[in-house]
Amino acid sequence: MNTRLFALLAALVAAAPLAAQVAAPAAPAATVMPRFDNTGVGDTSIFAPLVLPAGNMYRSGSGAPGPKYWQNHADYDIKASLDTGSKTLTGSLKLRYTNNSPDTLRFIWLQMEQNAFTDKSLNSFIFPQDSRFGARGFEGGDIIDRFDQLLGARRVAVKRRPNETVMKVDLAEPLAPGRMATFDVAWHFLIPEHGADRMGREGSLYELAQWYPRVNVYDDLRGWNTEPYLGQGEFYLEYGDFTVELTVPAGYIVAGTGTLVNPTAVLTPAQISRLAQAIKSTTPVNIVTLDEIRSGAARPKGTSGMLTWKFSAKKVRDAVWAASPEYLWDASGYNGILAQAFYRPSAIDPWKDAADQTRMSLEEYSTRWYKYPWPQMSAVEGPISGMEYPMLVMEAKSSDKYDLYNVVTHEIGHNWFPMLVGSNERVYMWQDEGFNTFINTFSEAKRYPEKGDQMTRALEERRGVEGAMKQNFDMPIDVMPDRIDPRLLGLAAYTKPSVGLQLLRQEIMGPEAFDDAFRTYIERWAFKHPSPADFYRTME
């Protein structure tokens, strides 16, 4: 024993009351107190209590939203046109931003994610140009033509400070709690061919995402969330209502977030009739057929030049679209929800199964976890290898029906995490990718049991994580995605959290308790912004 420590202990004992000294018999020599931790740094055992921030009025200690939980709201009315000759999108929007926070805001931040595709962007320094998330040397970026704040009848050009893929906008007047600010914005950009595998174009086909200025999230945890868009990290967005008007060449078929509200202007009577049939059918109906594409009958008679497709979406965090003059279109129905697939003739095999795969995914996740809350889901084929957005997911052709379903059901699963349960993907990627990978094992096993049941698929994931750990490739999951080696992204953000949830379900809590808690987490945080602590507390 250290002599100074011994002296200190002796002094403390000497200062104790005499009765206390007499009343404390010496421990038997054979007694050895157990030691649970030899590090001297507190409880580091596998089931140690988590150190979490104290519950408050915004987020309770139970894991539920607190009585004063708040989040801001953003509504968008967007009009855009696609110039296929110059490969340019030109748009205007009206943004209505409601401040539900207790703070008076004097500025807002917007996401300008097309600026990742500019010369010497942060993306170009972090990801190799020819990599999946690289900008590939493309020179584009958002060009703002107008940015005004509307104050009644007055229009004020506000001061802006661009900073890579985010932009600070000073408000013309302070925005008090409970008040709304309205902005009128016009912009355009050159569409990248390879948009970091999140959006892009291939021949005459366009997949448009990250395509309009979007307000950043202001929350009770971090204030303004201003992490830049680099490519690997995904998104964190406010909920709101959208109207979107898309003007494209008349020969194009368009799929988009939301409900098509002007079908008679852009579809033939036969197609409208088929859609009415499809929503009541459990088997796919061909809405646009191969013969119609080849003959030109896929478009309404007498149309030429440009057509405007109009969509409306409620309580979503984003709106995206895809368009091609070659799109075949299949649809079926699940409980009044359209399950749709859009694909080119070159992808008929295996995409002829995609509408049914979409329907089964909706059924599986709705039945097991939480009812799908929107009116349609569209799977669209194109160059993007797998990307999720509200009511629309993007997938490549795929090699066979098994490979296609693995991607389709994964991207559709993201409409639960994070489109419904709106976590911060830029900071906690595992909270959407890992949760979604976990629920995918049930869906994949249900569709194709010949490839393994749910437990078999979970065991394969577990073996993958064990193998990485043995090779010392393991890393914590709670790392911001842009800081993860792309070679380890699948392990850290997808597979490892899925394995953790499977262990929690099968070996710690049991399926009944786990499923009850997991459903409760989704129900509590639907259309809200949960943190990891909110999840941990709900499961506890």
Side-chain angles (χ1 to χ4, degrees):
M1 178 181 287
N2 182 286
T3 54
R4 293 179 63 189
L5 178 60
F6 179 80
L8 176 61
L9 291 175
L12 290 172
V13 171
L18 181 61
Q21 296 182 44
V22 173
T31 301
V32 178
M33 295 299 292
R35 292 180 66 92
F36 296 100
D37 178 26
N38 293 313
T39 66
V41 296
D43 190 348
T44 59
S45 64
I46 195 169
F47 291 111
L50 292 172
V51 179
L52 300 174
N56 54 47
M57 295 296 285
Y58 306 131
R59 297 168 190 268
S60 73
S62 71
K68 291 190 176 181
Y69 174 83
W70 59 267
Q71 65 190 45
N72 291 347
H73 188 89
D75 296 326
Y76 298 83
D77 296 324
I78 308 175
K79 297 180 180 180
S81 62
L82 174 65
D83 185 331
T84 57
S86 64
K87 299 177 177 59
T88 299
L89 182 135
T90 301
S92 64
L93 66 81
K94 181 176 286 186
L95 164 63
R96 296 180 300 280
Y97 180 70
T98 303
N99 178 21
N100 294 318
S101 82
D103 307 321
T104 295
L105 303 179
R106 290 172 171 77
F107 55 85
I108 65 172
W109 283 86
L110 290 171
Q111 303 183 39
M112 311 295 293
E113 290 153 332
Q114 287 301 311
N115 290 340
F117 310 112
T118 58
D119 184 43
K120 297 179 181 176
S121 69
L122 283 173
N123 173 284
S124 67
F125 286 106
I126 292 175
F127 296 106
Q129 290 296 294
D130 60 349
S131 68
R132 177 184 179 186
F133 300 114
R136 308 236 170 150
F138 180 80
E139 184 59 30
D142 281 315
I143 298 174
I144 299 295
D145 301 309
R146 179 179 70 249
F147 203 115
D148 296 338
Q149 184 173 352
L150 305 182
L151 301 173
R154 282 197 304 136
R155 177 185 295 270
V156 179
V158 292
K159 180 181 177 182
R160 296 174 279 119
R161 190 182 75 209
N163 186 353
E164 286 280 341
T165 55
V166 292
M167 181 173 71
K168 179 175 179 282
V169 176
D170 291 334
L171 300 181
E173 61 182 24
L175 184 62
R179 300 296 299 274
M180 182 177 69
T182 303
F183 303 91
D184 179 39
V185 183
W187 81 104
H188 68 276
F189 66 91
L190 185 63
I191 300 168
E193 183 175 3
H194 174 82
D197 205 26
R198 307 287 186 200
M199 51 85 68
R201 54 185 166 83
E202 184 176 75
S204 59
L205 184 148
Y206 290 81
E207 293 176 312
L208 272 298
Q210 291 90 260
W211 61 287
Y212 61 96
R214 306 187 291 183
V215 68
N216 290 52
V217 173
Y218 183 81
D219 63 25
D220 61 292
L221 298 172
R222 300 163 62 90
W224 284 109
N225 287 261
T226 58
E227 288 75 23
Y229 171 62
L230 301 179
Q232 185 161 287
E234 294 184 333
F235 314 110
Y236 187 34
L237 300 165
E238 296 288 15
Y239 290 92
D241 298 340
F242 286 72
T243 63
V244 181
E245 298 186 12
L246 304 168
T247 301
V248 300
Y252 274 69
I253 302 291
V254 180
T257 294
T259 300
L260 179 65
V261 297
N262 66 332
T264 57
V266 296
L267 302 180
T268 68
Q271 291 161 357
I272 294 172
S273 176
R274 293 167 192 162
L275 279 171
Q277 175 189 351
I279 201 167
K280 301 175 183 178
S281 173
T282 58
T283 58
V285 174
N286 302 128
I287 310 302
V288 175
T289 68
L290 181 59
D291 287 343
E292 288 173 332
I293 291 290
R294 288 173 173 170
S295 68
R299 310 310 304 118
K301 290 182 178 179
T303 56
S304 61
M306 307 290 280
L307 277 181
T308 298
W309 296 61
K310 298 181 181 181
F311 296 88
S312 175
K314 304 290 186 183
K315 292 186 72 174
V316 293
R317 39 175 266 167
D318 199 1
V320 302
W321 53 287
S324 171
E326 298 181 87
Y327 266 156
L328 308 178
W329 180 0
D330 299 337
S332 62
Y334 168 70
N335 282 355
I337 300 164
L338 272 175
Q340 307 183 102
F342 297 78
Y343 55 95
R344 293 169 291 184
S346 58
I348 284 179
D349 188 15
W351 270 78
K352 62 181 181 294
D353 292 327
D356 192 57
Q357 292 181 347
T358 299
R359 183 187 186 280
M360 177 168 276
S361 298
L362 292 176
E363 180 182 21
E364 160 61 26
Y365 302 133
S366 293
T367 302
R368 189 179 300 275
W369 304 118
Y370 188 95
K371 183 181 177 182
Y372 183 73
W374 295 295
Q376 67 91 8
M377 167 55 67
S378 298
V380 301
E381 180 264 333
I384 306 308
S385 60
M387 193 56 209
E388 70 277 3
Y389 299 101
M391 291 187 250
L392 188 147
V393 295
M394 302 173 180
E395 291 91 18
K397 179 179 178 180
S398 294
S399 57
D400 57 40
K401 64 181 182 180
Y402 303 111
D403 177 62
L404 178 61
Y405 190 68
N406 288 350
V407 182
V408 165
T409 201
H410 176 82
E411 306 309 338
I412 289 176
H414 274 304
N415 273 262
W416 278 258
F417 307 103
M419 306 306 158
L420 175 64
V421 182
S423 58
N424 187 344
E425 301 173 87
R426 283 241 171 115
V427 179
Y428 307 109
M429 193 174 192
W430 61 270
Q431 203 175 351
D432 75 287
E433 293 291 359
F435 290 13
N436 186 36
T437 300
F438 168 71
I439 67 174
N440 297 159
T441 61
F442 296 89
S443 181
E444 293 164 6
K446 181 178 180 179
R447 178 78 183 188
Y448 296 116
E450 66 270 25
K451 292 290 185 177
D453 61 14
Q454 193 271 334
M455 294 297 291
T456 299
R457 294 168 187 269
L459 180 59
E460 291 174 357
E461 290 184 349
R462 182 168 176 166
R463 286 171 175 165
V465 172
E466 289 174 345
M469 295 173 75
K470 290 176 181 177
Q471 296 297 318
N472 201 29
F473 289 148
D474 189 32
M475 67 179 302
I477 64 171
D478 212 356
V479 176
M480 292 178 67
D482 290 311
R483 296 179 179 270
I484 299 175
D485 185 324
R487 296 171 295 179
L488 299 179
L489 185 68
L491 171 71
Y494 294 67
T495 310
K496 190 175 179 182
S498 176
V499 170
L501 291 172
Q502 182 71 13
L503 289 170
L504 193 60
R505 185 177 192 265
Q506 293 299 133
E507 302 181 41
I508 299 172
M509 295 177 69
E512 183 178 3
F514 176 93
D515 291 357
D516 181 26
F518 203 59
R519 293 184 190 113
T520 298
Y521 169 69
I522 300 172
E523 182 177 359
R524 282 177 169 179
W525 292 98
F527 306 105
K528 297 182 178 68
H529 297 314
S531 71
D534 299 317
F535 171 71
Y536 298 148
R537 284 179 156 137
T538 297
M539 300 305 288
E540 184 70 20

